[in-house]
Amino acid sequence: HGFEEIEATYPIEHMTRRGAVVEVITPDWIKDRVMAVKFLKPSIWIPVTKQISQANVEDYHAIIIPGGAWNPIIMRTDGQILDFVKKFHASGKLVASVCHGPQVLLSAGLVKGRKITGVGDIRQDLRNAGAVVIEDRNAVVDGNIITSRDPNDLAFFSTAIEKFLKNAARSEALMGAGRN
């Protein structure tokens, strides 16, 4: 609960318009629907696809972690969420996060030595955790991590995710073709 509405709805719409299947995964205690906010005010409810205990890293190509009012606080203190994010990252699959969402990456121990961005008020925390903070780019790609500063950058963020996934699919297809 408490993610900034546009930080979830924009990437979801961007990906589904391009044929992606998107699932909304929440902590186990959140059932049926999750609440979005607009500048701290509750706005819409989004249907939940499954809880984190039902999710398997192998079933997905990417995870997108939105920021928002209290969403990152909930996610970064949930051991199951952090374990999932760590396993996802270790698998080489895409971990993308926007605005305050990189706080989840920080709590998962994934920012040290990585080029990362986020909203202004978390940048010092990212630096303190060993990240190389980039302040002047709307989407920062470092390996299998993509971060973005704030909702103003969502078009760049979503395009970077799309490009990463297309490149990964091409690489996978080439590797599969080389085995035959």
Side-chain angles (χ1 to χ4, degrees), residues 52-131:
I52 193 67
S53 63
Q54 302 166 321
N56 295 307
V57 170
E58 302 80 32
D59 295 339
Y60 303 98
H61 297 286
I63 56 174
I64 300 172
I65 302 168
W70 54 89
N71 173 61
I73 296 167
I74 291 169
M75 292 182 68
R76 70 187 298 197
T77 58
D78 185 308
Q80 286 182 296
I81 298 281
L82 294 177
D83 287 343
F84 189 80
V85 171
K86 288 177 195 177
K87 288 177 188 170
F88 215 92
H89 178 263
S91 75
K93 296 179 180 185
L94 177 60
V95 178
S97 190
V98 61
C99 201
H100 285 86
Q103 291 175 314
V104 177
L105 306 182
L106 185 155
S107 293
L110 302 179
V111 303
K112 187 173 185 174
R114 304 299 293 263
K115 293 178 185 164
I116 302 285
T117 196
V119 70
D121 66 332
I122 70 166
R123 291 178 186 157
Q124 190 59 49
D125 293 335
L126 294 168
R127 282 186 192 93
N128 291 343

Side-chain angles (χ1 to χ4, degrees), residues 1 3 24-36 44-55 74 78 80-81:
H1 290 299
F3 59 91
V24 176
I25 301 170
T26 64
D28 283 346
W29 59 271
I30 297 176
K31 310 290 186 206
D32 301 323
R33 60 192 186 143
V34 64
M35 183 183 62
I44 64 169
W45 292 88
I46 295 179
V48 169
T49 308
K50 62 179 66 166
Q51 281 77 38
I52 193 67
S53 63
Q54 302 166 321
I74 291 169
D78 185 308
Q80 286 182 296
I81 298 281

